[in-house]
Amino acid sequence: KAGVTQTPRYLIKTRGQQVTLSCSPISGHRSVSWYQQTPGQGLQFLFEYFSETQRNKGNFPGRFSGRQFSNSRSEMNVSTLELGDSALYLCASSLEAVYGYTFGSGTRLTVV
Amino acid sequence: EDQVTQSPEALRLQEGESSSLNCSYTVSGLRGLFWYRQDPGKGPEFLFTLYSAGEEKEKERLKATLTKKESFLHITAPKPEDSATYLCAVRRGSGGSNYKLTFGKGTLLTVNP
């Protein structure tokens, strides 16, 4: 059974650019969540999608956005990148939130 | 606001030396407390979900317990391969934001041979 797949694994971007990260959930999972992980703040919730609808959004600026497609694949976009956006971005999928979440290996974003 | 505090921040054990990690939480209507293990450069790996006070779950050398205000992850006779960061997270059951996990900062466990 394939796990959660995130692409790309590593990215280096320049301040002011934008970036799109991709997540393919486990087959059959309709809930997809995104988290940002930094050494100082730990894992922080970005947003959660279920059947193409955003159900929750964390306390991040509007530069952070996401979407989910009809096949449950999800993308997140960060516009006007700042140095502080450097982090490991993790995607997690779930059959339903109550059953817990399976995480991907993440995308390591470095903003220079 | 939901809060999760893990202690200690770091723990160094000798192989075979049992210990416990603590996770204290404040959440409105707990709908699940989750334990994850994370190795460097990888995503968190699911270990356990606990739903109600008094519940216990075991997996190999790990045992997780839950009370109304905290959870413990007991590690019995640890091996070097148990070295990792252990993360605790909670999901609320009422109000808004009940589809997100709130994580603690984690406990970095090092087991020396």
mmCIF file with all atom_site columns, all heavy atoms in Angstrom, chain B residues 60-76:
data_model
loop_
_atom_site.group_PDB
_atom_site.id
_atom_site.type_symbol
_atom_site.label_atom_id
_atom_site.label_alt_id
_atom_site.label_comp_id
_atom_site.label_asym_id
_atom_site.label_entity_id
_atom_site.label_seq_id
_atom_site.pdbx_PDB_ins_code
_atom_site.Cartn_x
_atom_site.Cartn_y
_atom_site.Cartn_z
_atom_site.occupancy
_atom_site.B_iso_or_equiv
_atom_site.pdbx_formal_charge
_atom_site.auth_seq_id
_atom_site.auth_comp_id
_atom_site.auth_asym_id
_atom_site.auth_atom_id
_atom_site.pdbx_PDB_model_num
ATOM 1   N N   . GLU B 1 60 ? 5.310   -3.325 20.908 1.00 0.00 ? 60 GLU B N   1
ATOM 2   C CA  . GLU B 1 60 ? 6.691   -3.716 21.176 1.00 0.00 ? 60 GLU B CA  1
ATOM 3   C C   . GLU B 1 60 ? 7.146   -3.157 22.526 1.00 0.00 ? 60 GLU B C   1
ATOM 4   O O   . GLU B 1 60 ? 6.569   -3.479 23.561 1.00 0.00 ? 60 GLU B O   1
ATOM 5   C CB  . GLU B 1 60 ? 7.592   -3.266 20.029 1.00 0.00 ? 60 GLU B CB  1
ATOM 6   C CG  . GLU B 1 60 ? 7.244   -3.945 18.706 1.00 0.00 ? 60 GLU B CG  1
ATOM 7   C CD  . GLU B 1 60 ? 8.132   -3.510 17.552 1.00 0.00 ? 60 GLU B CD  1
ATOM 8   O OE1 . GLU B 1 60 ? 9.003   -2.636 17.749 1.00 0.00 ? 60 GLU B OE1 1
ATOM 9   O OE2 . GLU B 1 60 ? 7.969   -4.052 16.461 1.00 0.00 ? 60 GLU B OE2 1
ATOM 10  N N   . ARG B 1 61 ? 8.141   -2.293 22.555 1.00 0.00 ? 61 ARG B N   1
ATOM 11  C CA  . ARG B 1 61 ? 8.680   -1.791 23.822 1.00 0.00 ? 61 ARG B CA  1
ATOM 12  C C   . ARG B 1 61 ? 7.972   -0.522 24.304 1.00 0.00 ? 61 ARG B C   1
ATOM 13  O O   . ARG B 1 61 ? 8.349   0.055  25.329 1.00 0.00 ? 61 ARG B O   1
ATOM 14  C CB  . ARG B 1 61 ? 10.185  -1.500 23.661 1.00 0.00 ? 61 ARG B CB  1
ATOM 15  C CG  . ARG B 1 61 ? 11.000  -2.748 23.392 1.00 0.00 ? 61 ARG B CG  1
ATOM 16  C CD  . ARG B 1 61 ? 12.463  -2.415 23.161 1.00 0.00 ? 61 ARG B CD  1
ATOM 17  N NE  . ARG B 1 61 ? 12.667  -1.662 21.923 1.00 0.00 ? 61 ARG B NE  1
ATOM 18  C CZ  . ARG B 1 61 ? 12.688  -2.213 20.727 1.00 0.00 ? 61 ARG B CZ  1
ATOM 19  N NH1 . ARG B 1 61 ? 12.522  -3.516 20.591 1.00 0.00 ? 61 ARG B NH1 1
ATOM 20  N NH2 . ARG B 1 61 ? 12.890  -1.461 19.646 1.00 0.00 ? 61 ARG B NH2 1
ATOM 21  N N   . LEU B 1 62 ? 6.958   -0.099 23.595 1.00 0.00 ? 62 LEU B N   1
ATOM 22  C CA  . LEU B 1 62 ? 6.262   1.150  23.905 1.00 0.00 ? 62 LEU B CA  1
ATOM 23  C C   . LEU B 1 62 ? 4.874   0.886  24.476 1.00 0.00 ? 62 LEU B C   1
ATOM 24  O O   . LEU B 1 62 ? 4.156   0.011  23.997 1.00 0.00 ? 62 LEU B O   1
ATOM 25  C CB  . LEU B 1 62 ? 6.124   2.020  22.655 1.00 0.00 ? 62 LEU B CB  1
ATOM 26  C CG  . LEU B 1 62 ? 7.410   2.463  21.963 1.00 0.00 ? 62 LEU B CG  1
ATOM 27  C CD1 . LEU B 1 62 ? 7.091   3.225  20.690 1.00 0.00 ? 62 LEU B CD1 1
ATOM 28  C CD2 . LEU B 1 62 ? 8.273   3.289  22.893 1.00 0.00 ? 62 LEU B CD2 1
ATOM 29  N N   . LYS B 1 63 ? 4.515   1.696  25.466 1.00 0.00 ? 63 LYS B N   1
ATOM 30  C CA  . LYS B 1 63 ? 3.179   1.627  26.042 1.00 0.00 ? 63 LYS B CA  1
ATOM 31  C C   . LYS B 1 63 ? 2.709   3.041  26.317 1.00 0.00 ? 63 LYS B C   1
ATOM 32  O O   . LYS B 1 63 ? 3.397   3.803  26.991 1.00 0.00 ? 63 LYS B O   1
ATOM 33  C CB  . LYS B 1 63 ? 3.184   0.829  27.350 1.00 0.00 ? 63 LYS B CB  1
ATOM 34  C CG  . LYS B 1 63 ? 1.822   0.746  28.034 1.00 0.00 ? 63 LYS B CG  1
ATOM 35  C CD  . LYS B 1 63 ? 1.948   -0.072 29.324 1.00 0.00 ? 63 LYS B CD  1
ATOM 36  C CE  . LYS B 1 63 ? 0.643   -0.102 30.083 1.00 0.00 ? 63 LYS B CE  1
ATOM 37  N NZ  . LYS B 1 63 ? 0.781   -0.894 31.342 1.00 0.00 ? 63 LYS B NZ  1
ATOM 38  N N   . ALA B 1 64 ? 1.535   3.386  25.792 1.00 0.00 ? 64 ALA B N   1
ATOM 39  C CA  . ALA B 1 64 ? 0.988   4.719  25.975 1.00 0.00 ? 64 ALA B CA  1
ATOM 40  C C   . ALA B 1 64 ? -0.219  4.648  26.892 1.00 0.00 ? 64 ALA B C   1
ATOM 41  O O   . ALA B 1 64 ? -1.054  3.744  26.774 1.00 0.00 ? 64 ALA B O   1
ATOM 42  C CB  . ALA B 1 64 ? 0.583   5.327  24.635 1.00 0.00 ? 64 ALA B CB  1
ATOM 43  N N   . THR B 1 65 ? -0.305  5.605  27.820 1.00 0.00 ? 65 THR B N   1
ATOM 44  C CA  . THR B 1 65 ? -1.424  5.690  28.741 1.00 0.00 ? 65 THR B CA  1
ATOM 45  C C   . THR B 1 65 ? -1.996  7.100  28.709 1.00 0.00 ? 65 THR B C   1
ATOM 46  O O   . THR B 1 65 ? -1.317  8.055  28.317 1.00 0.00 ? 65 THR B O   1
ATOM 47  C CB  . THR B 1 65 ? -0.986  5.338  30.172 1.00 0.00 ? 65 THR B CB  1
ATOM 48  O OG1 . THR B 1 65 ? 0.002   6.287  30.600 1.00 0.00 ? 65 THR B OG1 1
ATOM 49  C CG2 . THR B 1 65 ? -0.393  3.940  30.230 1.00 0.00 ? 65 THR B CG2 1
ATOM 50  N N   . LEU B 1 66 ? -3.261  7.223  29.139 1.00 0.00 ? 66 LEU B N   1
ATOM 51  C CA  . LEU B 1 66 ? -3.939  8.515  29.076 1.00 0.00 ? 66 LEU B CA  1
ATOM 52  C C   . LEU B 1 66 ? -4.726  8.773  30.352 1.00 0.00 ? 66 LEU B C   1
ATOM 53  O O   . LEU B 1 66 ? -5.443  7.892  30.840 1.00 0.00 ? 66 LEU B O   1
ATOM 54  C CB  . LEU B 1 66 ? -4.893  8.543  27.875 1.00 0.00 ? 66 LEU B CB  1
ATOM 55  C CG  . LEU B 1 66 ? -5.677  9.839  27.649 1.00 0.00 ? 66 LEU B CG  1
ATOM 56  C CD1 . LEU B 1 66 ? -4.737  10.996 27.289 1.00 0.00 ? 66 LEU B CD1 1
ATOM 57  C CD2 . LEU B 1 66 ? -6.725  9.642  26.548 1.00 0.00 ? 66 LEU B CD2 1
ATOM 58  N N   . THR B 1 67 ? -4.580  10.005 30.891 1.00 0.00 ? 67 THR B N   1
ATOM 59  C CA  . THR B 1 67 ? -5.443  10.473 31.969 1.00 0.00 ? 67 THR B CA  1
ATOM 60  C C   . THR B 1 67 ? -6.184  11.698 31.441 1.00 0.00 ? 67 THR B C   1
ATOM 61  O O   . THR B 1 67 ? -6.047  12.057 30.270 1.00 0.00 ? 67 THR B O   1
ATOM 62  C CB  . THR B 1 67 ? -4.631  10.871 33.224 1.00 0.00 ? 67 THR B CB  1
ATOM 63  O OG1 . THR B 1 67 ? -3.919  12.091 32.961 1.00 0.00 ? 67 THR B OG1 1
ATOM 64  C CG2 . THR B 1 67 ? -3.649  9.766  33.601 1.00 0.00 ? 67 THR B CG2 1
ATOM 65  N N   . LYS B 1 68 ? -6.931  12.365 32.311 1.00 0.00 ? 68 LYS B N   1
ATOM 66  C CA  . LYS B 1 68 ? -7.712  13.509 31.849 1.00 0.00 ? 68 LYS B CA  1
ATOM 67  C C   . LYS B 1 68 ? -6.863  14.727 31.533 1.00 0.00 ? 68 LYS B C   1
ATOM 68  O O   . LYS B 1 68 ? -7.322  15.650 30.861 1.00 0.00 ? 68 LYS B O   1
ATOM 69  C CB  . LYS B 1 68 ? -8.768  13.877 32.895 1.00 0.00 ? 68 LYS B CB  1
ATOM 70  C CG  . LYS B 1 68 ? -9.888  12.866 32.974 1.00 0.00 ? 68 LYS B CG  1
ATOM 71  C CD  . LYS B 1 68 ? -11.012 13.334 33.877 1.00 0.00 ? 68 LYS B CD  1
ATOM 72  C CE  . LYS B 1 68 ? -12.151 12.331 33.854 1.00 0.00 ? 68 LYS B CE  1
ATOM 73  N NZ  . LYS B 1 68 ? -13.267 12.730 34.737 1.00 0.00 ? 68 LYS B NZ  1
ATOM 74  N N   . LYS B 1 69 ? -5.597  14.722 31.982 1.00 0.00 ? 69 LYS B N   1
ATOM 75  C CA  . LYS B 1 69 ? -4.775  15.909 31.751 1.00 0.00 ? 69 LYS B CA  1
ATOM 76  C C   . LYS B 1 69 ? -3.424  15.602 31.131 1.00 0.00 ? 69 LYS B C   1
ATOM 77  O O   . LYS B 1 69 ? -2.712  16.523 30.731 1.00 0.00 ? 69 LYS B O   1
ATOM 78  C CB  . LYS B 1 69 ? -4.557  16.667 33.057 1.00 0.00 ? 69 LYS B CB  1
ATOM 79  C CG  . LYS B 1 69 ? -5.824  17.252 33.624 1.00 0.00 ? 69 LYS B CG  1
ATOM 80  C CD  . LYS B 1 69 ? -5.538  18.261 34.711 1.00 0.00 ? 69 LYS B CD  1
ATOM 81  C CE  . LYS B 1 69 ? -6.836  18.940 35.127 1.00 0.00 ? 69 LYS B CE  1
ATOM 82  N NZ  . LYS B 1 69 ? -6.623  19.980 36.140 1.00 0.00 ? 69 LYS B NZ  1
ATOM 83  N N   . GLU B 1 70 ? -3.049  14.322 31.051 1.00 0.00 ? 70 GLU B N   1
ATOM 84  C CA  . GLU B 1 70 ? -1.746  14.010 30.489 1.00 0.00 ? 70 GLU B CA  1
ATOM 85  C C   . GLU B 1 70 ? -1.698  12.586 29.938 1.00 0.00 ? 70 GLU B C   1
ATOM 86  O O   . GLU B 1 70 ? -2.569  11.750 30.223 1.00 0.00 ? 70 GLU B O   1
ATOM 87  C CB  . GLU B 1 70 ? -0.644  14.225 31.530 1.00 0.00 ? 70 GLU B CB  1
ATOM 88  C CG  . GLU B 1 70 ? -0.810  13.410 32.783 1.00 0.00 ? 70 GLU B CG  1
ATOM 89  C CD  . GLU B 1 70 ? 0.178   13.858 33.872 1.00 0.00 ? 70 GLU B CD  1
ATOM 90  O OE1 . GLU B 1 70 ? 1.067   14.698 33.605 1.00 0.00 ? 70 GLU B OE1 1
ATOM 91  O OE2 . GLU B 1 70 ? 0.076   13.355 34.995 1.00 0.00 ? 70 GLU B OE2 1
ATOM 92  N N   . SER B 1 71 ? -0.658  12.370 29.167 1.00 0.00 ? 71 SER B N   1
ATOM 93  C CA  . SER B 1 71 ? -0.407  11.041 28.622 1.00 0.00 ? 71 SER B CA  1
ATOM 94  C C   . SER B 1 71 ? 1.070   10.723 28.859 1.00 0.00 ? 71 SER B C   1
ATOM 95  O O   . SER B 1 71 ? 1.915   11.629 28.886 1.00 0.00 ? 71 SER B O   1
ATOM 96  C CB  . SER B 1 71 ? -0.714  11.012 27.123 1.00 0.00 ? 71 SER B CB  1
ATOM 97  O OG  . SER B 1 71 ? -0.396  9.748  26.573 1.00 0.00 ? 71 SER B OG  1
ATOM 98  N N   . PHE B 1 72 ? 1.332   9.441  29.039 1.00 0.00 ? 72 PHE B N   1
ATOM 99  C CA  . PHE B 1 72 ? 2.703   8.994  29.210 1.00 0.00 ? 72 PHE B CA  1
ATOM 100 C C   . PHE B 1 72 ? 3.031   7.975  28.120 1.00 0.00 ? 72 PHE B C   1
ATOM 101 O O   . PHE B 1 72 ? 2.189   7.147  27.744 1.00 0.00 ? 72 PHE B O   1
ATOM 102 C CB  . PHE B 1 72 ? 2.897   8.339  30.577 1.00 0.00 ? 72 PHE B CB  1
ATOM 103 C CG  . PHE B 1 72 ? 2.787   9.303  31.725 1.00 0.00 ? 72 PHE B CG  1
ATOM 104 C CD1 . PHE B 1 72 ? 1.578   9.493  32.375 1.00 0.00 ? 72 PHE B CD1 1
ATOM 105 C CD2 . PHE B 1 72 ? 3.885   10.028 32.150 1.00 0.00 ? 72 PHE B CD2 1
ATOM 106 C CE1 . PHE B 1 72 ? 1.465   10.387 33.432 1.00 0.00 ? 72 PHE B CE1 1
ATOM 107 C CE2 . PHE B 1 72 ? 3.785   10.927 33.200 1.00 0.00 ? 72 PHE B CE2 1
ATOM 108 C CZ  . PHE B 1 72 ? 2.569   11.104 33.843 1.00 0.00 ? 72 PHE B CZ  1
ATOM 109 N N   . LEU B 1 73 ? 4.257   8.064  27.644 1.00 0.00 ? 73 LEU B N   1
ATOM 110 C CA  . LEU B 1 73 ? 4.781   7.051  26.730 1.00 0.00 ? 73 LEU B CA  1
ATOM 111 C C   . LEU B 1 73 ? 5.912   6.348  27.479 1.00 0.00 ? 73 LEU B C   1
ATOM 112 O O   . LEU B 1 73 ? 6.960   6.935  27.732 1.00 0.00 ? 73 LEU B O   1
ATOM 113 C CB  . LEU B 1 73 ? 5.292   7.680  25.436 1.00 0.00 ? 73 LEU B CB  1
ATOM 114 C CG  . LEU B 1 73 ? 5.762   6.701  24.363 1.00 0.00 ? 73 LEU B CG  1
ATOM 115 C CD1 . LEU B 1 73 ? 4.594   5.852  23.865 1.00 0.00 ? 73 LEU B CD1 1
ATOM 116 C CD2 . LEU B 1 73 ? 6.419   7.427  23.193 1.00 0.00 ? 73 LEU B CD2 1
ATOM 117 N N   . HIS B 1 74 ? 5.629   5.096  27.884 1.00 0.00 ? 74 HIS B N   1
ATOM 118 C CA  . HIS B 1 74 ? 6.609   4.325  28.629 1.00 0.00 ? 74 HIS B CA  1
ATOM 119 C C   . HIS B 1 74 ? 7.445   3.515  27.648 1.00 0.00 ? 74 HIS B C   1
ATOM 120 O O   . HIS B 1 74 ? 6.902   2.852  26.754 1.00 0.00 ? 74 HIS B O   1
ATOM 121 C CB  . HIS B 1 74 ? 5.901   3.384  29.610 1.00 0.00 ? 74 HIS B CB  1
ATOM 122 C CG  . HIS B 1 74 ? 4.909   4.072  30.497 1.00 0.00 ? 74 HIS B CG  1
ATOM 123 N ND1 . HIS B 1 74 ? 5.279   4.739  31.656 1.00 0.00 ? 74 HIS B ND1 1
ATOM 124 C CD2 . HIS B 1 74 ? 3.559   4.216  30.401 1.00 0.00 ? 74 HIS B CD2 1
ATOM 125 C CE1 . HIS B 1 74 ? 4.194   5.248  32.228 1.00 0.00 ? 74 HIS B CE1 1
ATOM 126 N NE2 . HIS B 1 74 ? 3.143   4.949  31.487 1.00 0.00 ? 74 HIS B NE2 1
ATOM 127 N N   . ILE B 1 75 ? 8.756   3.567  27.844 1.00 0.00 ? 75 ILE B N   1
ATOM 128 C CA  . ILE B 1 75 ? 9.663   2.809  26.985 1.00 0.00 ? 75 ILE B CA  1
ATOM 129 C C   . ILE B 1 75 ? 10.394  1.795  27.862 1.00 0.00 ? 75 ILE B C   1
ATOM 130 O O   . ILE B 1 75 ? 11.156  2.183  28.767 1.00 0.00 ? 75 ILE B O   1
ATOM 131 C CB  . ILE B 1 75 ? 10.661  3.747  26.280 1.00 0.00 ? 75 ILE B CB  1
ATOM 132 C CG1 . ILE B 1 75 ? 9.894   4.797  25.480 1.00 0.00 ? 75 ILE B CG1 1
ATOM 133 C CG2 . ILE B 1 75 ? 11.587  2.951  25.376 1.00 0.00 ? 75 ILE B CG2 1
ATOM 134 C CD1 . ILE B 1 75 ? 10.766  5.834  24.832 1.00 0.00 ? 75 ILE B CD1 1
ATOM 135 N N   . THR B 1 76 ? 10.146  0.530  27.578 1.00 0.00 ? 76 THR B N   1
ATOM 136 C CA  . THR B 1 76 ? 10.719  -0.546 28.389 1.00 0.00 ? 76 THR B CA  1
ATOM 137 C C   . THR B 1 76 ? 11.930  -1.141 27.673 1.00 0.00 ? 76 THR B C   1
ATOM 138 O O   . THR B 1 76 ? 11.846  -1.518 26.509 1.00 0.00 ? 76 THR B O   1
ATOM 139 C CB  . THR B 1 76 ? 9.684   -1.649 28.632 1.00 0.00 ? 76 THR B CB  1
ATOM 140 O OG1 . THR B 1 76 ? 8.536   -1.062 29.277 1.00 0.00 ? 76 THR B OG1 1
ATOM 141 C CG2 . THR B 1 76 ? 10.251  -2.749 29.500 1.00 0.00 ? 76 THR B CG2 1
#
